[in-house]
Amino acid sequence: MAEYKTVAKIGDLKPGDCKMIEVGDEAVALYNVEGKIYASHNQCIHMGGNLGEGVLDGKFIICPLHAWKFDVESGECDFDPEQKIQTLPVKIIGDDIQVEMIF
């Protein structure tokens, strides 16, 4: 069974920001969409771009390598919903952002 791990504090991620967090041997991308926190695997499914270094456009993360766009809530690619990044469940406990480490 996967477990939730604290990966950041709420104050570490302002609305409109995204960032990559290393959790053990894994990399997670965090996104703040108007105060709601989302998470996904950090690697783009297209060419392995670092999604945490991308640009957040509303609820879409734009990969910095080739501008593929993914909905951070559903993981779906904007031009092909069959193409998805793996999203991860998020809980907020006090000031802690916790992510369920599904790998």
Side-chain angles (χ1 to χ4, degrees), residues 29-84:
L30 296 177
Y31 318 100
N32 184 331
V33 178
E34 298 179 4
K36 184 161 171 100
I37 307 299
Y38 297 93
S40 74
H41 288 256
N42 187 57
Q43 195 171 43
C44 179
I45 59 171
H46 174 233
M47 295 287 290
N50 181 341
L51 295 174
E53 292 179 355
V55 174
L56 197 56
D57 179 19
K59 69 174 192 164
F60 288 90
I61 184 63
I62 303 170
C63 179
L65 289 184
H66 299 105
W68 279 38
K69 290 173 70 171
F70 300 92
D71 182 315
V72 298
E73 185 174 11
S74 68
E76 294 177 352
C77 182
D78 70 330
F79 66 86
D80 182 359
E82 297 295 315
Q83 300 289 323
K84 291 184 174 185

Side-chain angles (χ1 to χ4, degrees), residues 3-10 23 28 30 37-39 88-101:
E3 66 178 286
Y4 280 85
K5 291 193 177 186
T6 298
V7 297
K9 299 284 188 190
I10 289 289
V23 183
V28 173
L30 296 177
I37 307 299
Y38 297 93
L88 303 168
V90 175
K91 292 194 305 191
I92 306 300
I93 306 294
D95 289 339
D96 292 337
I97 300 171
Q98 295 187 345
V99 174
E100 187 175 7
M101 302 305 291

